[in-house]
Amino acid sequence: MNKIARPTLGAASVTEDRPTQEDAEAAIRTLIRWAGDNPDREGVRDTPARVARSYLEFFAGYEQDPVVMLERTFEEVEGYDEIVLLRDIRVESHCEHHMLPIVGRAHVAYLPDRRVVGISKLARVVDAYAHRLQIQEKLTAQIANTINDVLLPRGTAVIIEAAHECMTTRGVHKTGVTMVTSRMLGAFRDDPTTRRELLAMIGNRGHVSLD
Ligand SMILES: [Zn+2]
C-alpha cells in the first residue's frame, strides 16, 4: 500500500483552544449589536444559540476525514475500467472571505485501476470539504487530489459550478452568475479522448439548473 499524504484536517489546529458554545453565542450577540439591533429583543433572543448550532452543521467537515471515507474499496468489478462519473452532486459551502453560502453542484469522475469505491463515498468527500470555509478553487482541488491519492485511479476529474452569495447579495450584486472550476488529473489531463468522453457524459442531459 502506498503511503498516502493525508490532507490537513482543519480540526487538528483548532481543537486545542476551540471556543465554547457560550463564547460563540457571545460573538453572535456582538454581531447582532453591530448590525444595529438589540440582542435582548424577543425575536432575536434565541438567535445566538440557533446560529451557533447552524455553524456546527455548516462546518461539520472539520471533524471528518475524507481519506478514511475512501479507504474501503471493492476489487470484484469484472475488469470494469471505464469512467465512473457521479454527476450533479449538490454542493453547499461557505466562502472563507465573507462566510456567505456557495451553492452549486459538482461532477466527480475517476477512471478505476482495478478497484472502485462505493459511489456515496464520493459525495461524502465533496461534503466533507464543502463543509469548511472554502474558496471554490481550493475545494475543487482538494476533492480531486484526495480521490487521486487514495484510490490511485488512472485519472480523476472534478468540475464544480456554483453561485457565490458574496457576489449576488453584496459587493457587485451580480445574480445568475456561476463560477466553474475544474481539476483534471492523470488520463483526464493527458488524454484528450478521455477528457472529451467525460465532458460528453457530463453534458449529456436536457437542462442545466442549480436546483
Ligand atoms: Zn466571498
Side-chain angles (χ1 to χ4, degrees):
M1 187 71 202
N2 295 31
K3 193 166 177 297
I4 292 158
R6 300 179 87 84
T8 333
L9 267 181
S13 57
V14 295
T15 40
E16 294 280 299
D17 56 348
R18 189 166 190 179
T20 63
Q21 168 102 10
E22 273 179 358
D23 294 334
E25 291 182 17
I28 295 151
R29 277 178 64 88
T30 302
L31 286 177
I32 292 172
R33 285 171 50 220
W34 171 243
D37 212 320
N38 170 14
D40 294 318
R41 182 167 70 74
E42 193 192 356
V44 294
R45 203 180 292 147
D46 297 329
T47 297
R50 285 192 206 98
V51 174
R53 281 197 299 274
S54 302
Y55 267 50
L56 289 180
E57 218 175 298
F58 295 155
F59 302 112
Y62 289 109
E63 309 285 346
Q64 295 165 354
D65 187 345
V67 170
V68 172
M69 293 172 184
L70 293 174
E71 272 171 350
R72 184 151 183 256
T73 55
F74 305 93
E75 297 191 7
E76 287 180 20
V77 293
E78 301 284 336
Y80 184 89
D81 61 356
E82 299 293 334
I83 296 173
V84 176
L85 166 65
L86 201 58
R87 205 163 66 171
D88 296 323
I89 305 164
R90 182 168 166 92
V91 172
E92 296 172 355
S93 190
H94 285 79
C95 82
E96 66 187 26
H97 300 139
H98 305 95
M99 301 180 79
L100 287 172
I102 301 170
V103 178
R105 58 221 174 117
H107 313 296
V108 174
Y110 69 103
L111 209 51
D113 183 15
R114 292 185 302 276
R115 56 209 187 109
V116 298
V117 71
I119 50 167
S120 68
K121 301 298 169 56
L122 298 175
R124 292 190 44 176
V125 169
V126 170
D127 277 347
Y129 283 121
H131 288 149
R132 301 177 187 192
L133 289 170
Q134 279 291 3
I135 63 170
Q136 189 176 323
E137 296 89 333
K138 183 174 69 177
L139 174 61
T140 308
Q142 285 177 328
I143 297 164
N145 293 348
T146 302
I147 293 169
N148 210 57
D149 291 348
V150 182
L151 288 188
L152 304 171
R154 288 178 294 128
T156 306
V158 174
I159 298 172
I160 297 179
E161 38 187 315
H164 293 238
E165 276 194 17
C166 60
M167 234 189 118
T168 59
T169 64
R170 56 161 295 289
V172 292
H173 292 277
K174 293 289 178 229
T175 53
V177 180
T178 55
M179 178 163 147
V180 181
T181 46
S182 72
R183 181 152 175 88
M184 307 271 178
L185 299 169
F188 293 112
R189 179 185 283 256
D190 302 333
D191 179 359
T193 311
T194 304
R195 183 197 293 245
R196 262 199 307 277
E197 190 187 342
L198 170 71
L199 296 178
M201 285 169 82
I202 292 170
N204 182 20
R205 64 187 148 176
H207 69 287
V208 172
S209 83
L210 285 175
D211 300 334

